[in-house]
Amino acid sequence: MELVYSGKVRDLYADGDNLILVASDRVSVYDVVLPTPIPDKGRVLTQLSLWWFGQLTDVVANHVISGTDVPAQWAGRAIRCRRLRMVPVECIARGYLAGLGLVSYNETGTISGVRLPPGLGEGSRLPEPVFTPTTKAAAGHDEPMTFAELTSLTGAEVAAELERVTLEVYRRGAELAGSRGVVIADTKLEFGLDPDGSLVLADEVLTPDSSRFWLASEWQPGRPQRSLDKQFLRDWSSGLEWDRKPPGPAIPPEIVAATRERYLELYARLTGSELG
Ligand code: PZK
């Protein structure tokens, strides 16, 4: 199969008219891919994404053709999907302040043009989830875009639909996760258009690689939150003399095992079943 694109932790292949999206066991910390894989991470992310796509079929159509009709070497961690015309925008919904949303709030009191109340801090819950689209920069960093810029890129109708569907996916995901003790602080979605012009949810959805997951019992606004999936890796790596530039350090076996357990626990907690 032809490799179309290779990302930090995932790869995309073409199979005739279809695409095969493959999640690896690679893991990144501080944006650097480490040399040691986390066994089952690719399976957890793929199966979680497939589960969410299924939960969301009444909200939006998705690109999935099959989670099983994939080459045997990628069984469990690949999705066969329709090739779409992609909307070149990262559609982000934020329900809590973290990352670039926090930076924007501290500088301007706003995110994506939406004024927020004063006195919020790191990890604060927002009064309402906010849609914060960003450009997909070919190289370097993604830039926030205004709703007007989104409109000039996609047209008013698609822009309005992107906002509505992104916020609805976030609300539904956050509500379900919340009932199971998990905070979804924010999430990044990607959409395509099918040949008749209708919006289709693509890529991965509500996984720990595309979203910030916190344990509700640990959430405490006013300080950096503990990451549900990567906190062991962060704690271990922050004790090293590593400048957070490539190459990253090899992960010791006990940290690999603890991180793997966290991914499997996250899957079981959200979906209510163990990953086979
Ligand atoms: C597409 N990406 C990002 C995802 C990677 C890179 N259904 C689709 N149709 C057309 N293009 C894409 C998709 C999807 N999904 C997604 N780039 C193009 C990406 C996964 C692994 F390496």
Side-chain angles (χ1 to χ4, degrees), residues 185-254:
D186 51 40
T187 194
K188 183 198 82 180
L189 304 176
E190 299 207 24
F191 294 89
L193 297 167
D194 78 4
D196 75 12
S198 67
L199 206 60
V200 179
L201 183 57
D203 206 353
E204 61 182 336
V205 61
L206 295 165
T207 72
D209 277 3
S210 66
S211 317
R212 282 191 178 81
F213 286 174
W214 303 332
L215 214 47
S217 61
E218 293 180 349
W219 174 62
Q220 199 185 307
R223 57 144 173 86
Q225 307 301 306
R226 291 179 60 80
S227 156
L228 187 39
D229 54 314
K230 288 185 182 168
Q231 198 61 43
F232 290 124
L233 290 170
R234 290 194 191 153
D235 291 348
W236 155 75
S237 66
S238 70
L240 305 173
E241 291 204 45
W242 173 43
D243 57 9
R244 298 185 182 177
K245 295 191 192 115
I251 314 170
E254 64 277 14

Side-chain angles (χ1 to χ4, degrees), residues 68-138:
T68 51
D69 180 15
V70 298
Q73 78 258 35
W74 301 323
R77 59 184 183 92
I79 299 177
R80 175 179 299 276
C81 56
R82 291 190 275 153
R83 190 191 277 254
L84 304 164
R85 192 153 51 90
M86 295 300 284
V87 178
V89 173
E90 300 198 329
C91 289
I92 299 171
R94 301 178 183 278
Y96 293 75
L97 268 189
L100 292 179
L102 176 65
V103 172
S104 172
Y105 173 76
N106 286 337
E107 286 172 358
T108 67
T110 68
I111 47 176
S112 280
V114 176
R115 176 144 310 268
L116 295 172
L120 301 179
E122 175 130 39
S124 289
R125 184 172 185 170
L126 303 179
E128 290 287 338
V130 179
F131 176 58
T132 66
T134 65
T135 60
K136 297 219 295 173

Side-chain angles (χ1 to χ4, degrees), residues 23-26 37-47 76-77 256 259-261 263-264 267 275-276:
S24 74
D25 289 341
R26 299 191 291 275
I38 304 296
D40 294 321
K41 174 176 180 270
R43 263 189 342 123
V44 167
L45 269 68
T46 297
Q47 297 308 310
R77 59 184 183 92
V256 170
T259 302
R260 173 177 173 273
E261 282 304 324
Y263 281 108
L264 291 168
Y267 178 87
L275 185 64

Side-chain angles (χ1 to χ4, degrees), residues 3-13 19-23 63-64 81-86 136 190 192 200-204:
L3 180 64
V4 176
Y5 181 87
S6 187
K8 279 211 289 272
V9 300
R10 302 178 304 155
D11 304 299
L12 195 59
Y13 291 82
L19 293 175
I20 312 274
L21 212 145
V22 183
H63 70 157
V64 175
C81 56
R82 291 190 275 153
R83 190 191 277 254
L84 304 164
R85 192 153 51 90
M86 295 300 284
K136 297 219 295 173
E190 299 207 24
V200 179
L201 183 57
D203 206 353
E204 61 182 336

